Short mmCIF file of all heavy atoms in Angstrom, two decimals:
data_model
loop_
_atom_site.label_atom_id
_atom_site.label_comp_id
_atom_site.label_asym_id
_atom_site.label_seq_id
_atom_site.Cartn_x
_atom_site.Cartn_y
_atom_site.Cartn_z
N GLY A 500 -62.36 -117.38 56.62
CA GLY A 500 -61.52 -118.19 57.50
C GLY A 500 -60.40 -117.42 58.16
O GLY A 500 -59.74 -117.93 59.07
N THR A 501 -60.19 -116.18 57.73
CA THR A 501 -59.12 -115.37 58.32
C THR A 501 -59.63 -114.43 59.41
O THR A 501 -58.83 -113.73 60.04
CB THR A 501 -58.41 -114.54 57.23
OG1 THR A 501 -59.35 -113.63 56.63
CG2 THR A 501 -57.81 -115.45 56.17
N PHE A 502 -60.94 -114.41 59.63
CA PHE A 502 -61.47 -113.64 60.75
C PHE A 502 -61.16 -114.38 62.06
O PHE A 502 -61.24 -115.61 62.12
CB PHE A 502 -62.98 -113.45 60.62
CG PHE A 502 -63.38 -112.44 59.57
CD1 PHE A 502 -63.74 -112.87 58.29
CD2 PHE A 502 -63.38 -111.08 59.86
CE1 PHE A 502 -64.09 -111.94 57.32
CE2 PHE A 502 -63.74 -110.15 58.88
CZ PHE A 502 -64.08 -110.58 57.61
N GLN A 503 -60.82 -113.64 63.09
CA GLN A 503 -60.37 -114.28 64.32
C GLN A 503 -61.42 -115.22 64.91
O GLN A 503 -61.10 -116.31 65.39
CB GLN A 503 -60.00 -113.22 65.36
CG GLN A 503 -59.35 -113.82 66.60
CD GLN A 503 -59.00 -112.75 67.63
OE1 GLN A 503 -59.88 -112.15 68.23
NE2 GLN A 503 -57.70 -112.52 67.82
N GLY A 504 -62.68 -114.82 64.84
CA GLY A 504 -63.73 -115.68 65.37
C GLY A 504 -63.77 -117.03 64.68
O GLY A 504 -63.93 -118.07 65.33
N MET A 505 -63.58 -117.03 63.36
CA MET A 505 -63.54 -118.29 62.60
C MET A 505 -62.26 -119.05 62.89
O MET A 505 -62.27 -120.29 63.02
CB MET A 505 -63.64 -117.99 61.10
CG MET A 505 -65.03 -117.60 60.65
SD MET A 505 -66.19 -118.99 60.71
CE MET A 505 -65.54 -120.03 59.42
N GLN A 506 -61.15 -118.36 63.00
CA GLN A 506 -59.87 -119.01 63.29
C GLN A 506 -59.94 -119.80 64.59
O GLN A 506 -59.46 -120.94 64.67
CB GLN A 506 -58.75 -117.97 63.36
CG GLN A 506 -58.37 -117.36 62.02
CD GLN A 506 -57.31 -116.28 62.18
OE1 GLN A 506 -57.31 -115.53 63.17
NE2 GLN A 506 -56.41 -116.19 61.22
N PHE A 507 -60.54 -119.18 65.60
CA PHE A 507 -60.63 -119.85 66.90
C PHE A 507 -61.51 -121.10 66.81
O PHE A 507 -61.20 -122.14 67.41
CB PHE A 507 -61.19 -118.89 67.95
CG PHE A 507 -60.21 -117.84 68.41
CD1 PHE A 507 -58.94 -117.77 67.87
CD2 PHE A 507 -60.57 -116.91 69.37
CE1 PHE A 507 -58.03 -116.80 68.28
CE2 PHE A 507 -59.66 -115.94 69.81
CZ PHE A 507 -58.40 -115.88 69.25
N GLN A 508 -62.62 -121.02 66.08
CA GLN A 508 -63.50 -122.18 65.94
C GLN A 508 -62.80 -123.33 65.21
O GLN A 508 -62.92 -124.49 65.61
CB GLN A 508 -64.77 -121.79 65.17
CG GLN A 508 -65.70 -120.86 65.93
CD GLN A 508 -66.94 -120.52 65.12
OE1 GLN A 508 -67.55 -121.40 64.53
NE2 GLN A 508 -67.30 -119.25 65.09
N ILE A 509 -62.09 -122.99 64.15
CA ILE A 509 -61.38 -124.01 63.37
C ILE A 509 -60.26 -124.63 64.21
O ILE A 509 -60.06 -125.85 64.19
CB ILE A 509 -60.83 -123.40 62.06
CG1 ILE A 509 -62.00 -123.02 61.14
CG2 ILE A 509 -59.88 -124.36 61.37
CD1 ILE A 509 -61.59 -122.19 59.93
N ALA A 510 -59.56 -123.79 64.95
CA ALA A 510 -58.47 -124.30 65.80
C ALA A 510 -59.01 -125.23 66.88
O ALA A 510 -58.43 -126.29 67.16
CB ALA A 510 -57.71 -123.14 66.43
N LYS A 511 -60.12 -124.84 67.49
CA LYS A 511 -60.72 -125.69 68.53
C LYS A 511 -61.14 -127.04 67.95
O LYS A 511 -60.92 -128.09 68.56
CB LYS A 511 -61.93 -124.99 69.13
CG LYS A 511 -62.61 -125.79 70.23
CD LYS A 511 -63.86 -125.10 70.75
CE LYS A 511 -64.58 -125.97 71.78
NZ LYS A 511 -65.85 -125.35 72.24
N ALA A 512 -61.72 -127.02 66.76
CA ALA A 512 -62.13 -128.27 66.12
C ALA A 512 -60.93 -129.16 65.83
O ALA A 512 -60.99 -130.39 65.99
CB ALA A 512 -62.89 -127.97 64.83
N ALA A 513 -59.82 -128.53 65.41
CA ALA A 513 -58.60 -129.31 65.13
C ALA A 513 -58.08 -129.98 66.40
O ALA A 513 -57.61 -131.13 66.35
CB ALA A 513 -57.54 -128.39 64.52
N VAL A 514 -58.15 -129.27 67.52
CA VAL A 514 -57.72 -129.84 68.80
C VAL A 514 -58.62 -131.02 69.17
O VAL A 514 -58.14 -132.08 69.61
CB VAL A 514 -57.73 -128.77 69.92
CG1 VAL A 514 -57.46 -129.42 71.27
CG2 VAL A 514 -56.68 -127.70 69.63
N GLU A 515 -59.92 -130.85 69.01
CA GLU A 515 -60.85 -131.93 69.33
C GLU A 515 -60.59 -133.15 68.45
O GLU A 515 -60.64 -134.30 68.93
CB GLU A 515 -62.30 -131.44 69.16
CG GLU A 515 -62.72 -130.44 70.22
CD GLU A 515 -64.18 -130.02 70.07
OE1 GLU A 515 -64.78 -130.32 69.02
OE2 GLU A 515 -64.72 -129.40 71.00
N LEU A 516 -60.33 -132.93 67.20
CA LEU A 516 -60.01 -134.04 66.29
C LEU A 516 -58.76 -134.78 66.75
O LEU A 516 -58.72 -136.01 66.73
CB LEU A 516 -59.80 -133.50 64.87
CG LEU A 516 -61.05 -133.31 64.02
CD1 LEU A 516 -60.72 -132.46 62.79
CD2 LEU A 516 -61.61 -134.65 63.60
N GLU A 517 -57.76 -134.03 67.14
CA GLU A 517 -56.51 -134.67 67.57
C GLU A 517 -56.70 -135.47 68.85
O GLU A 517 -56.16 -136.57 69.00
CB GLU A 517 -55.43 -133.61 67.76
CG GLU A 517 -54.04 -134.18 68.02
CD GLU A 517 -53.45 -134.95 66.84
OE1 GLU A 517 -54.04 -134.89 65.73
OE2 GLU A 517 -52.41 -135.61 67.01
N THR A 518 -57.48 -134.95 69.79
CA THR A 518 -57.72 -135.70 71.02
C THR A 518 -58.50 -136.98 70.74
O THR A 518 -58.22 -138.03 71.33
CB THR A 518 -58.47 -134.85 72.06
OG1 THR A 518 -59.71 -134.40 71.52
CG2 THR A 518 -57.64 -133.66 72.49
N ALA A 519 -59.48 -136.91 69.85
CA ALA A 519 -60.23 -138.11 69.47
C ALA A 519 -59.33 -139.13 68.80
O ALA A 519 -59.44 -140.34 69.04
CB ALA A 519 -61.39 -137.73 68.56
N ARG A 520 -58.43 -138.65 67.96
CA ARG A 520 -57.50 -139.54 67.27
C ARG A 520 -56.57 -140.24 68.27
O ARG A 520 -56.33 -141.45 68.17
CB ARG A 520 -56.69 -138.75 66.25
CG ARG A 520 -55.69 -139.58 65.43
CD ARG A 520 -55.08 -138.78 64.30
NE ARG A 520 -56.08 -138.44 63.30
CZ ARG A 520 -56.61 -137.24 63.12
NH1 ARG A 520 -56.22 -136.23 63.90
NH2 ARG A 520 -57.52 -137.02 62.20
N LEU A 521 -56.05 -139.49 69.22
CA LEU A 521 -55.14 -140.07 70.21
C LEU A 521 -55.85 -141.11 71.08
O LEU A 521 -55.30 -142.18 71.35
CB LEU A 521 -54.54 -138.96 71.08
CG LEU A 521 -53.60 -137.99 70.37
CD1 LEU A 521 -53.21 -136.84 71.30
CD2 LEU A 521 -52.35 -138.69 69.86
N LEU A 522 -57.07 -140.80 71.51
CA LEU A 522 -57.82 -141.76 72.32
C LEU A 522 -58.12 -143.03 71.54
O LEU A 522 -58.00 -144.15 72.06
CB LEU A 522 -59.13 -141.13 72.80
CG LEU A 522 -59.04 -140.15 73.96
CD1 LEU A 522 -60.36 -139.40 74.13
CD2 LEU A 522 -58.67 -140.87 75.25
N THR A 523 -58.49 -142.87 70.28
CA THR A 523 -58.85 -144.02 69.45
C THR A 523 -57.65 -144.92 69.20
O THR A 523 -57.73 -146.15 69.39
CB THR A 523 -59.45 -143.55 68.11
OG1 THR A 523 -60.63 -142.76 68.37
CG2 THR A 523 -59.81 -144.73 67.23
N TYR A 524 -56.55 -144.34 68.80
CA TYR A 524 -55.38 -145.17 68.47
C TYR A 524 -54.67 -145.68 69.72
O TYR A 524 -54.03 -146.73 69.68
CB TYR A 524 -54.44 -144.43 67.51
CG TYR A 524 -54.96 -144.50 66.10
CD1 TYR A 524 -55.70 -143.46 65.55
CD2 TYR A 524 -54.78 -145.65 65.33
CE1 TYR A 524 -56.22 -143.55 64.27
CE2 TYR A 524 -55.29 -145.75 64.05
CZ TYR A 524 -56.01 -144.70 63.52
OH TYR A 524 -56.54 -144.81 62.25
N ASN A 525 -54.82 -144.98 70.83
CA ASN A 525 -54.29 -145.52 72.09
C ASN A 525 -55.04 -146.79 72.46
O ASN A 525 -54.44 -147.80 72.84
CB ASN A 525 -54.41 -144.49 73.20
CG ASN A 525 -53.92 -145.02 74.53
OD1 ASN A 525 -52.77 -145.44 74.67
ND2 ASN A 525 -54.79 -145.02 75.53
N ALA A 526 -56.37 -146.75 72.36
CA ALA A 526 -57.17 -147.94 72.67
C ALA A 526 -56.83 -149.08 71.71
O ALA A 526 -56.72 -150.24 72.12
CB ALA A 526 -58.66 -147.60 72.59
N ALA A 527 -56.66 -148.75 70.45
CA ALA A 527 -56.34 -149.78 69.45
C ALA A 527 -54.99 -150.42 69.72
O ALA A 527 -54.83 -151.65 69.64
CB ALA A 527 -56.36 -149.17 68.05
N ARG A 528 -53.99 -149.61 70.04
CA ARG A 528 -52.65 -150.15 70.32
C ARG A 528 -52.68 -151.01 71.59
O ARG A 528 -52.05 -152.07 71.64
CB ARG A 528 -51.65 -149.02 70.48
CG ARG A 528 -51.34 -148.24 69.20
CD ARG A 528 -50.67 -149.07 68.16
NE ARG A 528 -50.22 -148.26 67.02
CZ ARG A 528 -49.92 -148.75 65.83
NH1 ARG A 528 -50.02 -150.06 65.61
NH2 ARG A 528 -49.51 -147.95 64.85
N ARG A 529 -53.41 -150.58 72.60
CA ARG A 529 -53.50 -151.37 73.83
C ARG A 529 -54.15 -152.72 73.54
O ARG A 529 -53.70 -153.75 74.05
CB ARG A 529 -54.30 -150.61 74.90
CG ARG A 529 -53.59 -149.41 75.49
CD ARG A 529 -54.46 -148.74 76.56
NE ARG A 529 -54.60 -149.60 77.73
CZ ARG A 529 -53.82 -149.54 78.81
NH1 ARG A 529 -52.82 -148.67 78.85
NH2 ARG A 529 -54.03 -150.35 79.84
N LYS A 530 -55.18 -152.72 72.74
CA LYS A 530 -55.82 -153.99 72.39
C LYS A 530 -54.84 -154.88 71.66
O LYS A 530 -54.72 -156.08 71.93
CB LYS A 530 -57.05 -153.71 71.53
CG LYS A 530 -57.90 -154.94 71.24
CD LYS A 530 -57.47 -155.64 69.98
CE LYS A 530 -58.22 -156.94 69.78
NZ LYS A 530 -57.68 -157.74 68.66
N GLU A 531 -54.11 -154.31 70.74
CA GLU A 531 -53.15 -155.06 69.94
C GLU A 531 -52.00 -155.61 70.79
O GLU A 531 -51.46 -156.68 70.50
CB GLU A 531 -52.60 -154.16 68.83
CG GLU A 531 -52.08 -154.92 67.63
CD GLU A 531 -51.91 -154.00 66.45
OE1 GLU A 531 -51.12 -153.03 66.56
OE2 GLU A 531 -52.56 -154.23 65.41
N GLU A 532 -51.64 -154.88 71.83
CA GLU A 532 -50.55 -155.30 72.71
C GLU A 532 -50.99 -156.32 73.76
O GLU A 532 -50.19 -156.80 74.55
CB GLU A 532 -49.96 -154.07 73.42
CG GLU A 532 -49.24 -153.12 72.48
CD GLU A 532 -48.96 -151.77 73.13
OE1 GLU A 532 -49.34 -151.59 74.32
OE2 GLU A 532 -48.37 -150.90 72.46
N GLY A 533 -52.30 -156.62 73.79
CA GLY A 533 -52.80 -157.58 74.78
C GLY A 533 -53.00 -156.98 76.15
O GLY A 533 -53.14 -157.71 77.14
N ARG A 534 -53.05 -155.66 76.24
CA ARG A 534 -53.27 -154.98 77.51
C ARG A 534 -54.75 -154.70 77.69
O ARG A 534 -55.54 -154.79 76.74
CB ARG A 534 -52.48 -153.68 77.56
CG ARG A 534 -50.98 -153.88 77.37
CD ARG A 534 -50.26 -152.57 77.11
NE ARG A 534 -50.32 -151.68 78.27
CZ ARG A 534 -49.92 -150.42 78.23
NH1 ARG A 534 -49.46 -149.89 77.11
NH2 ARG A 534 -49.97 -149.68 79.32
N SER A 535 -55.17 -154.35 78.91
CA SER A 535 -56.57 -154.00 79.15
C SER A 535 -56.91 -152.75 78.34
O SER A 535 -56.10 -151.82 78.24
CB SER A 535 -56.81 -153.76 80.63
OG SER A 535 -56.04 -152.66 81.08
N PHE A 536 -58.11 -152.72 77.78
CA PHE A 536 -58.47 -151.57 76.96
C PHE A 536 -59.95 -151.19 77.08
O PHE A 536 -60.43 -150.32 76.35
CB PHE A 536 -58.15 -151.86 75.48
CG PHE A 536 -58.95 -152.99 74.87
CD1 PHE A 536 -60.15 -152.74 74.22
CD2 PHE A 536 -58.50 -154.29 74.96
CE1 PHE A 536 -60.89 -153.77 73.67
CE2 PHE A 536 -59.23 -155.34 74.40
CZ PHE A 536 -60.44 -155.08 73.76
#
Side-chain angles (χ1 to χ4, degrees):
T501 62
F502 286 97
Q503 188 181 68
M505 286 290 292
Q506 288 177 325
F507 286 2
Q508 291 181 45
I509 292 170
K511 180 183 176 184
V514 172
E515 290 183 347
L516 276 166
E517 188 66 10
T518 58
R520 181 171 293 106
L521 293 173
L522 283 168
T523 300
Y524 281 97
N525 178 58
R528 291 295 188 198
R529 289 181 69 93
K530 187 270 174 188
E531 204 164 60
E532 293 166 0
R534 302 167 66 189
S535 63
F536 64 92

